[in-house]
Amino acid sequence: MQSARRGLLIILSSPSGAGKSTLARSLMAWDNSLSFSVSATTRAPRDGEKDGREYYFRTRDAFKQMVDQGEMLEHAEVFGNLYGSPKAPVEAAISQGRDVLFDIDWQGGQQINTAMADDVVSIFVLPPSIEALETRLRGRGQDSDDVIEARMKKSRDEISHWAEYDYCLVNHDIKEAEEQLRAIITAERLKRRRQLGLMDLVRDMNDEFESRSQ
């Protein structure tokens, strides 16, 4: 039986089109004990959205108060709305041995790593080439040429931060990348410092050795 452990805070980042969202969904399907971090936002709920499920919906004043009181792991303003990751539910999950997945950019990843470095496992997903990245973006059939061009420009900035991550996956083949991602999570879960019961287990073994030698 594996000893109890502290949960992981898994950061997954990539330029748009490199496969981050696909890998995140695959990881969740592989282990349903994983959970996505639920963000807080100041934008209004859309039809069908529920507070605490898609987002924690907060007023601008309430959101800023959370930031001022140190209750956000990371936050940013996007198109006039504030978004952030509340600290309390994440800390509760990992203290109970449950892993939490963050699908965020490098800026959010930096903030989280600063706040909870000992618990973080950060993974950056690279495309095999710029040509492949553009082909994937165009293959979606969702964006105009102008939007794709803007995404490609942003990708250069995102990719420039790859070396700040613990691991880097080059997504030549999505199935191979999925296997590599699962291997990373498995190995990180087994790190000595995360297995909370190991010290007691070894102490009990030493006591047993002592009793047998008497």
Side-chain angles (χ1 to χ4, degrees), residues 61-99:
D61 286 344
F63 190 104
K64 287 183 175 180
Q65 185 177 20
M66 292 179 72
V67 172
D68 292 341
Q69 294 177 350
E71 297 175 7
M72 288 289 187
L73 286 172
E74 56 85 24
H75 64 279
E77 185 163 356
V78 181
F79 299 122
N81 291 307
L82 298 172
Y83 293 83
S85 303
K87 184 186 296 185
V90 173
E91 289 186 328
I94 63 176
S95 67
Q96 295 165 9
R98 292 184 285 116
D99 302 329

Side-chain angles (χ1 to χ4, degrees), residues 16-30:
S16 180
K20 173 184 61 176
S21 296
T22 301
L23 287 169
R25 288 193 299 269
S26 171
L27 196 61
M28 297 285 288
W30 170 66

Side-chain angles (χ1 to χ4, degrees), residues 17-20 23 124-133 136 168-180:
K20 173 184 61 176
L23 287 169
F124 196 88
V125 183
L126 280 170
S129 67
I130 296 301
E131 291 77 14
L133 184 65
R136 290 173 185 176
C168 191
L169 300 181
V170 181
N171 185 13
H172 295 281
D173 175 81
I174 191 63
K175 294 301 181 185
E176 181 180 353
E178 288 172 355
E179 291 176 2
Q180 291 172 341

Side-chain angles (χ1 to χ4, degrees), residues 14-19 127 129-156:
S14 79
S16 180
S129 67
I130 296 301
E131 291 77 14
L133 184 65
E134 184 172 4
T135 297
R136 290 173 185 176
L137 286 173
R138 294 190 181 282
R140 293 174 174 178
Q142 299 174 343
D143 300 321
S144 66
D145 287 345
D146 288 344
V147 171
I148 290 173
E149 183 178 352
R151 290 187 184 277
M152 291 296 294
K153 287 181 179 178
K154 185 179 179 182
S155 293
R156 182 176 184 176

